[in-house]
Amino acid sequence: MSTEPQPGFPGGTAVSRLQVYDWPAEDGRRGGSPHVHLASTEAYLVVEGEGELHTLTAQGLQITALRPGTVAWFAPGTIHRAVSTSGALRAAVVMQNCGLAEAGDAVLTFPEEILQDPSAYAAAAAPPAGAGAARHRRDLAVRGFRRLVHQVAAGDTEALSDFYRRAVALCADRLEEWQSTWRHGPKAAALQTGDHLADLRDGRIGHLLEAAVQVRQAPPDAERHYGMCGLLDSYDLSSTP
């Protein structure tokens, strides 16, 4: 019987299946809710459909084509919006620091008056109970995103910095929780690899004898939830004894 807890998903990452929203926004584009991650890198592996990844950074707006086989990833601070242009755009999503996104690592690009009011932000960003609420949340985020894009394009160098500061302020009371999640997840996974390498150098094979396979299945379609970019199938990738 195994005595060592089996590792979680590789590298302490998270994985989910995404179907990007097909609802048209006020600019006519069909897609998800623009948002930013404050501490985690995110990656898309496109498996079906075609679309675009709209990203906003200090370098301005960038549009990246998405098609089956494309792998695109972006660092913390990249405001991003997934847009579907042909067929149902589906991707496997890999998220650095499993648990941080679920703990509020993301901030939506709502209009300024909402970002300045923590209570208003919490109400607008709450997990939607249905398609109507999810679409309303997406539309608010698109409105704020378009304003930010316009400001950056017009040379307003402080607009992006102001958004980041407001985003950090909204999450300030969760930073200790994030530290704990990182320490017991991704950091622990990296340290375990260091222990295994040390064992190999010393000729110890204990962890090889403890090897096991873990399997997770996607939840039923009825249990898919309304994420920021689209409908999500999320997996519980925590380690098991």
Side-chain angles (χ1 to χ4, degrees), residues 6-9 15 213-219 234-241:
Q6 292 300 313
F9 201 69
V15 65
V213 174
Q214 298 192 72
V215 177
R216 303 290 190 274
Q217 297 294 337
S234 298
Y235 296 80
D236 177 5
L237 302 177
S238 55
S239 61
T240 58

Side-chain angles (χ1 to χ4, degrees), residues 117-182:
D117 183 342
S119 296
Y121 179 85
R135 187 167 183 169
H136 175 70
R137 184 177 72 169
R138 188 282 310 269
D139 290 345
L140 281 176
V142 168
R143 194 167 304 147
F145 176 73
R146 294 182 69 197
R147 174 64 176 163
L148 263 178
V149 169
H150 175 77
Q151 289 173 305
V152 173
D156 184 352
T157 58
E158 283 301 306
L160 202 56
S161 296
D162 288 343
F163 170 76
Y164 290 146
R165 292 188 190 100
R166 292 190 183 100
V168 173
L170 286 167
C171 299
D173 61 348
R174 277 171 269 163
L175 292 176
E176 288 299 324
E177 178 187 356
W178 295 359
Q179 286 278 357
S180 178
T181 298
W182 165 76

